[in-house]
Amino acid sequence: MTIENADSRRRRRPRPPRPKGRRLSSVLRQLAADQSRERISIGDLFQTMGDRAISALMLIFALPNAFPTPPGTSALLGAPLVFLAVQLTFGLKPWLPKAIAARSIRREDFETIVGRIHRWLAWAERMLQPRLAIFAEPPAEYLAGLSCLLLSIVLVLPVPLGNILPAITISVFAFGIMGRDGLFALIGFIMTTVSLVVAGGVIYGLVKAGIYLVMQWFG
């Protein structure tokens, strides 16, 4: 074997698979069933998911917003997404300020949220498989992080029903990156365009209606 062939084989060697642990759905159910806790904080989730990728943490914060949730959930879970999306964009380790990590909800509410998303989460975990890796690994992974950053900003805004589509899109990205499933990531890129167009239309309509009301008030 020549040196050139050896170098070529080293360059083409696939990346080793990520270590497999307990499924995310099982971890969340166990945390939700822990009756020794009165409240579940974002810090608790970080401590539980500390060995997982940023994508797994983003999924935890995004997926609940795709379903009807208690008031304030969008603001509670949306802010961490902004920080995590920035870190995904630049390939950094997960970190959140203490002010955000200390936010919490009642364990019963968390259990309700987990109960609603568990079936869908378990279904998606079974669907994941390594494919179309070019869309789920760097540099596409960093572009996915930028897309999630824009979507998470929309998610935090008080836009009526504006959190569902961005939350689903971020969740699709998170599944794709977490499972190195480029098909999920590719769908996420397509959904990003749709989400931003819809959110932009809603925001434009609200601003236009606000200007109209102000003009009518002072007219």
Side-chain angles (χ1 to χ4, degrees), residues 74-149:
S74 177
L76 174 69
L77 301 180
L81 282 171
V82 175
F83 287 88
L84 290 170
V86 170
Q87 292 163 42
L88 180 62
T89 302
F90 295 99
L92 305 176
K93 293 182 179 180
W95 172 85
L96 286 177
K98 291 183 179 180
I100 293 180
R103 295 184 181 182
S104 65
I105 61 176
R106 295 191 315 133
R107 186 196 61 82
E108 291 81 1
D109 292 335
F110 182 77
E111 187 174 21
T112 299
I113 293 172
V114 172
R116 289 175 177 173
I117 70 174
H118 178 267
R119 182 179 63 176
W120 301 100
L121 178 57
W123 173 82
E125 287 175 330
R126 292 193 297 269
M127 293 288 293
L128 291 174
Q129 57 178 296
R131 53 189 166 183
L132 300 176
I134 190 174
F135 295 109
E137 297 180 351
E141 182 177 308
Y142 306 142
L143 182 58
L146 180 59
S147 300
C148 290
L149 175 59

Side-chain angles (χ1 to χ4, degrees), residues 7-84:
D7 291 340
S8 177
R9 289 188 63 180
R10 281 196 293 269
R11 285 195 299 268
R12 296 176 184 176
R13 183 181 302 167
R15 294 169 63 180
R18 293 176 182 175
K20 296 182 178 180
R22 294 175 55 200
R23 285 190 173 185
L24 181 59
S25 55
S26 299
V27 174
L28 292 181
R29 288 192 68 178
Q30 181 178 357
L31 184 61
D34 186 359
Q35 298 186 4
S36 65
R37 303 173 184 266
E38 294 184 2
R39 303 183 68 84
I40 304 294
S41 70
I42 294 176
D44 293 332
L45 293 173
F46 259 71
Q47 184 177 3
T48 303
M49 304 302 302
D51 60 339
R52 298 297 180 96
I54 291 179
S55 55
L57 296 171
M58 290 183 66
L59 182 62
I60 293 174
F61 297 125
L63 192 56
N65 289 291
F67 301 86
T69 54
T73 302
S74 177
L76 174 69
L77 301 180
L81 282 171
V82 175
F83 287 88
L84 290 170

